[in-house]
Amino acid sequence: MAGQTTPGTSLQKQQQEEMTEGWDVLWDPPLEPKYECPICLMGLREPVQTNCGHRFCRYCILKSIRDAGARCPVDNSPLTEEQIFPDNFAKREILALRVKCSNKGCKEKMELIGLDNHLSTCNFAFVRCPLECGDTFWRKDIPEHLDNDCPRRLVKCEHCFKEIPFDQQESHMEECPNVVRPCEFCQQQLTNEQMARHVENECPRALVLCIFSAVGCNVEKMERRNLSEHLQEFTQVHLRLLLNALQTLKDSRFTHRPGNHSDPLSLPARMQDVTYEHRHNLPLTHEQQQMLVLPPGHMAVATPVSPLPIGSELPQGGDGIAKLSHSLQQLVMPNRPFQPRLGETTWSSAEDYLEPVTCASPYPGVMTSPFTAAAAAGGAHAYAHLEGSSGYRTGDPSSVGTSSRDMDSGNPRSEDSSMADARTLRTKVHNQEAKIVEQQHYIRELELKLGSLQQKYFELDERTKERMCNGTFIWRIKEYSKLRQQAVKGEATVRHSSGFYTSYYGYKLCVRVNLNGVDSAHGTHISLFIHFMMGENDDILEWPFQGKITLSIVDQNSNPAQQPKHITETLVAKPSYAAFQRPTTLRNHKGFGYMEFALLRSLENGQYIKNDTLIIKCMVQPQ
C-alpha cells in the first residue's frame, strides 16, 4: 500500500543514514549551536545522546569510538556504543527547522523534513538527460532539450517510417530496406532489400569464385559474365580436380572395414568394397547391380559414358561414386600401357578377355572376382597416376616376393603388451597431474605471502609519506566531477585528506574541503580548512600551535609561456582559537580556513582541473 515500506527497504535506509555525516544545508535562520554536531560541525543527523549528556550524529560518534577509542570527544569521559541512545526529541526539532533550497536560482524555503521531496522536483536542479545523451540541464529545460536538441531523440525515417535515434540516421540509411542506391558493380539502382539478392545471384559484374573452387580450382575471382568462358576453357582441369575429390571421398568411405582383408591401397579391393556395402546396406536397382558386378563367364566391355553436365545433381551412394569415377577416368586419363597391381586381374592381350591372368595376392584366401577385371580396366590409369609413388605397383615378380617377406617378417605387438604400455602411460599422466596440483598449491601460498608483503609495504609507504613530507602536502582529488555532483546533491559534502606531519617529530594535520561550499559560500565557492589531528609526538610538542599555514589550489596549465596562477591564501595561527589547541579526538572537530576560498566557476575552466583531478597544496611552517 502507499506509504508503506518493506523491512528490507527500511533496513537499507537505516544503514544509509548511519553512514552519513550531519546535515550540510542552508539553514534559515542559522542553526543554533545546540543542534550542531561537535565532530562534523554540521546539523545533527540521526542525533544520539550519550550518558554524559552530549549530542552527536550517530555516524560521527560511532566512527569516533571505533577510530579514536571509547571516550567522549567532548569531555574525554569513558563511552561505549551501549551508552549511546537515540534522541528523538532533538530529531523532531531539527527536521522542523526551516532551510533554503541549495539549487542556484531557486528561492524556495521549506522544513528540513521536506527538503528531499523538493529537491526531487526542483526546476533548478541539475539532472541528466533521460535518454542518456550525457548532457546535464536544469530540470525545467529538459522538455525543450528532448524536443529539439537531444542527439538521441526519436525521429521517423522518411523511407520506412520507422522511429530511430537522431544520431543513428546515417547508419540506418545503410540498412533501411526501402532506400534506393546504385549497385557497386553495375551501378543499377536498387533498394537495399533487393541489393543482396542482386549481387549474389544476378549482377553480371559482381566478382565470383569458380564453382569448382571447392575441389581445388584456385583461379582468382572473376566477373559473373566471364564465368561460362572460364568453365569452357578449363573443362579438363575441373574434371581432374573433381576426380581427385571423388577418389578421396571413396577412400575415406570404404577402407579398413571389419572383415575385409583386401589391400586398402588396391583399386579392385576398393571396388569390391563398393559392392560389399551395396549388397549389405543400400538397396540397388537391377541396372546398378549389372554395372557393378559382371556375371561369371561374361567379359568386361567398356561402354561409352557421357560426363555429367555442370550443375547437375551428383549421384548418391557408393554406386554413384563408382559410376562417376569410371566416367571421369575415361574422359580425363590418356591411354597408356597398363601395369597390373597385386591382387588385380588383367589380360595378356586385347583378345584374351575370356582368359584372365591373376597376379599373385599377398593375402591367402582372398579371391578376386570378375568384377576386378572391369574395375581395373576402367580405373587403373587413374590409380597409376594417384598412387604411383605408394610402392605397391610393380612390374616384376621379385617385388611381390619382397612384399610378402616384409609382411611375414613383421612382429606386431601383442594386445597384452599394448595394454601394459597404456597403463604405464596412464600412471605417468596421473603422477604429472599430482605434481601440477602440488605446484599450484605452492604458487597459491606464494601469492598469499606476496599479497601480505605488498599490504605491509603499502602501509609502510603511507606512513613514510606522512612523516617525510616535511610540512608540504600535495592532495590530488581525482574524479572531481563525480565528487562535485555528490556534494551538490548533498550525498557527501565534506572530504578530508589523509594525515601528514610537519616533520618527522612534528605536528599532524589534515585538509578538509567542501566542494560545493559551506554556509554563505554554498553553491558559489569551494571551501578549504585545516584540522589538527592526534599524532605520536603531541606530548613533546608546544601547544597551542603557532606558525603559518599556506593553502593553494595548483594551476595545472602546462603552457610554459604562461606564468602559473595558483590560488593561494596564507593564514596565521591564532592561539586562542580551539582549532589550534591540542587535539583530544582523532581529528579536532574545530577547523580553521576559508569558506570562500575560490569561485567554483573559475575552477572549471580547465586551468585548475585537468584529467578530472584537482590538486590542493598545503604548506605548514611552525614558529
Side-chain angles (χ1 to χ4, degrees), residues 6-119:
T6 62
T9 305
S10 300
L11 179 60
Q12 183 178 6
K13 182 178 180 181
Q14 180 181 357
Q15 291 175 347
Q16 183 178 2
E17 290 174 347
E18 290 180 355
M19 297 301 294
T20 308
E21 293 180 333
W23 294 104
D24 187 15
V25 295
L26 299 177
W27 304 97
D28 187 25
L31 185 66
E32 298 180 34
K34 65 179 181 179
Y35 297 129
E36 182 180 286
C37 174
I39 297 178
C40 67
L41 308 180
M42 293 183 286
L44 291 167
R45 187 193 295 264
E46 290 300 312
V48 295
Q49 195 172 57
T50 65
N51 60 353
C52 55
H54 299 108
R55 287 174 176 169
F56 301 92
C57 298
R58 178 179 178 82
Y59 168 77
C60 296
I61 188 60
L62 290 178
K63 189 174 187 300
S64 175
I65 291 176
R66 294 166 187 172
D67 293 346
R71 289 187 174 276
C72 175
V74 177
D75 58 12
N76 208 29
S77 61
L79 179 65
T80 64
E81 294 185 15
E82 290 75 15
Q83 296 172 321
I84 297 174
F85 309 97
D87 192 339
N88 292 326
F89 178 76
K91 180 178 180 179
R92 284 195 300 270
E93 288 186 333
I94 293 172
L95 292 178
L97 295 176
R98 302 284 293 179
V99 296
K100 295 188 296 185
C101 177
S102 59
N103 293 323
K104 188 174 181 180
C106 181
K107 301 185 182 300
E108 292 288 333
K109 296 181 182 180
M110 72 292 299
E111 291 183 351
L112 177 61
I113 194 172
L115 179 61
D116 288 341
N117 291 335
H118 169 75
L119 291 177

Side-chain angles (χ1 to χ4, degrees), residues 138-430:
W138 277 347
R139 182 177 278 111
K140 65 185 184 67
D141 296 335
I142 286 293
E144 181 181 357
H145 167 71
L146 294 179
D147 292 338
N148 303 318
D149 302 326
C150 182
R152 296 199 175 181
R153 66 186 185 275
L154 295 180
V155 295
K156 277 191 177 181
C157 172
E158 60 183 1
H159 301 283
C160 66
F161 304 105
K162 180 181 177 181
E163 288 190 340
I164 56 174
F166 179 81
D167 58 354
Q168 296 181 12
Q169 289 186 98
E170 292 186 5
S171 60
H172 173 73
M173 291 301 173
E174 297 293 329
E175 303 171 356
C176 180
N178 296 339
V179 172
V180 178
R181 58 189 177 92
C183 171
E184 61 178 318
F185 299 105
C186 65
Q187 304 303 314
Q188 181 180 352
Q189 296 290 329
L190 298 166
T191 64
N192 284 335
E193 187 177 13
Q194 299 169 335
M195 189 64 67
R197 182 173 63 253
H198 168 74
V199 173
E200 184 177 355
N201 302 319
E202 303 168 1
C203 181
R205 292 184 177 273
L207 299 179
V208 296
L209 286 170
C210 173
I211 60 176
F212 288 94
S213 60
V215 293
C217 182
N218 56 4
V219 176
E220 296 181 354
K221 286 186 176 182
M222 67 200 81
E223 293 185 357
R224 181 176 277 111
R225 61 182 179 177
N226 298 330
L227 180 59
S228 59
E229 180 182 350
H230 167 76
L231 294 177
Q232 292 179 3
E233 183 178 354
F234 291 89
T235 301
Q236 293 294 321
V237 175
H238 293 156
L239 291 175
R240 291 176 188 271
L241 293 172
L242 187 58
L243 174 61
N244 293 340
L246 290 171
Q247 203 64 60
T248 302
L249 175 62
K250 188 166 61 176
D251 291 346
S252 64
R253 287 171 59 89
F254 307 121
T255 56
H256 298 290
R257 179 174 290 102
N260 179 15
H261 301 285
S262 59
D263 180 3
L265 298 178
S266 170
L267 174 62
R270 293 174 181 175
M271 300 306 286
Q272 287 176 359
D273 287 338
V274 176
T275 308
Y276 171 89
E277 179 169 271
H278 288 295
R279 284 176 177 171
H280 290 78
N281 298 324
L282 299 177
L284 297 180
T285 63
H286 176 72
E287 291 77 6
Q288 291 172 335
Q289 294 179 1
Q290 290 296 326
M291 177 198 166
L292 290 174
V293 181
L294 295 177
H298 287 67
M299 65 180 179
V301 180
T303 58
V305 294
S306 59
L308 291 174
I310 299 301
S312 64
E313 185 174 334
L314 292 177
Q316 302 294 324
D319 59 325
I321 294 175
K323 290 168 63 178
L324 189 54
S325 176
H326 187 69
S327 301
L328 293 174
Q329 289 162 9
Q330 291 186 356
L331 284 171
V332 178
M333 297 303 174
N335 295 325
R336 46 185 161 181
F338 171 67
Q339 295 181 346
R341 298 166 56 86
L342 296 179
E344 295 179 352
T345 303
T346 185
W347 295 268
S348 57
S349 66
E351 292 81 9
D352 293 336
Y353 286 115
L354 298 178
E355 305 241 346
V357 178
T358 305
C359 296
S361 172
Y363 307 109
V366 177
M367 302 298 295
T368 57
S369 68
F371 169 76
T372 58
H381 294 300
Y383 271 82
H385 174 70
L386 294 174
E387 303 178 359
S389 60
S390 63
Y392 280 91
R393 187 171 61 125
T394 179
D396 62 81
S398 61
S399 62
V400 178
T402 302
S403 177
S404 300
R405 286 193 300 273
D406 292 341
M407 295 295 295
D408 295 338
S409 62
N411 185 22
R413 299 180 61 84
S414 66
E415 183 178 355
D416 293 341
S417 177
S418 299
M419 292 298 293
D421 290 345
R423 285 193 294 271
T424 302
L425 183 59
R426 190 180 301 111
T427 302
K428 291 181 178 180
V429 171
H430 289 332

Side-chain angles (χ1 to χ4, degrees), residues 354-611:
L354 298 178
E355 305 241 346
V357 178
T358 305
C359 296
S361 172
Y363 307 109
V366 177
M367 302 298 295
T368 57
S369 68
F371 169 76
T372 58
H381 294 300
Y383 271 82
H385 174 70
L386 294 174
E387 303 178 359
S389 60
S390 63
Y392 280 91
R393 187 171 61 125
T394 179
D396 62 81
S398 61
S399 62
V400 178
T402 302
S403 177
S404 300
R405 286 193 300 273
D406 292 341
M407 295 295 295
D408 295 338
S409 62
N411 185 22
R413 299 180 61 84
S414 66
E415 183 178 355
D416 293 341
S417 177
S418 299
M419 292 298 293
D421 290 345
R423 285 193 294 271
T424 302
L425 183 59
R426 190 180 301 111
T427 302
K428 291 181 178 180
V429 171
H430 289 332
N431 292 339
Q432 291 299 324
E433 290 177 348
K435 290 182 179 180
I436 291 174
V437 172
E438 183 180 352
Q439 292 295 327
Q440 288 175 342
H441 286 307
Y442 180 67
I443 291 173
R444 180 58 181 163
E445 292 178 359
L446 291 179
E447 289 176 347
L448 293 176
K449 292 180 180 179
L450 178 60
S452 177
L453 291 175
Q454 287 178 338
Q455 182 64 28
K456 292 180 180 178
Y457 168 76
F458 292 145
E459 294 176 358
L460 180 60
D461 183 60
E462 191 67 25
R463 295 186 61 184
T464 303
K465 288 180 179 178
E466 291 180 0
R467 294 296 187 92
M468 303 305 294
C469 67
N470 291 326
T472 301
F473 177 69
I474 303 296
W475 185 16
R476 299 178 185 272
I477 303 178
K478 299 181 179 180
E479 297 183 345
Y480 171 82
S481 301
K482 176 182 176 182
L483 301 180
R484 171 91 170 84
Q485 287 298 321
Q486 291 178 355
V488 171
K489 296 177 181 178
E491 297 175 357
T493 58
V494 180
R495 300 283 170 181
H496 292 89
S497 73
S498 58
F500 64 95
Y501 285 83
T502 58
S503 63
Y504 194 84
Y505 296 105
Y507 298 89
K508 186 176 182 181
L509 304 88
C510 71
V511 180
R512 165 189 158 197
V513 61
N514 293 71
L515 294 178
N516 198 40
V518 65
D519 293 342
S520 61
H522 185 83
T524 59
H525 291 74
I526 189 172
S527 304
L528 272 183
F529 305 90
I530 59 98
H531 286 259
F532 280 86
M533 302 179 66
M534 293 180 64
E536 298 180 2
N537 312 304
D538 290 352
D539 54 345
I540 62 173
L541 296 172
E542 294 183 1
W543 296 98
F545 171 84
Q546 297 185 40
K548 294 182 179 180
I549 300 176
T550 302
L551 296 172
S552 303
I553 294 180
V554 178
D555 181 3
Q556 301 184 57
N557 186 6
S558 58
N559 188 352
Q562 295 182 1
Q563 187 72 18
K565 298 179 180 179
H566 307 307
I567 302 176
T568 303
E569 295 288 349
T570 301
L571 59 89
V572 179
K574 297 182 179 181
S576 60
Y577 283 19
F580 300 101
Q581 306 299 321
R582 178 176 177 177
T584 57
T585 59
L586 180 65
R587 180 179 63 239
N588 196 339
H589 65 277
K590 291 293 184 181
F592 194 80
Y594 301 91
M595 288 189 296
E596 299 179 356
F597 187 84
L599 281 169
L600 287 170
R601 64 173 179 267
S602 66
L603 294 180
E604 299 175 356
N605 61 0
Q607 183 175 355
Y608 297 98
I609 299 173
K610 191 173 184 179
N611 298 326

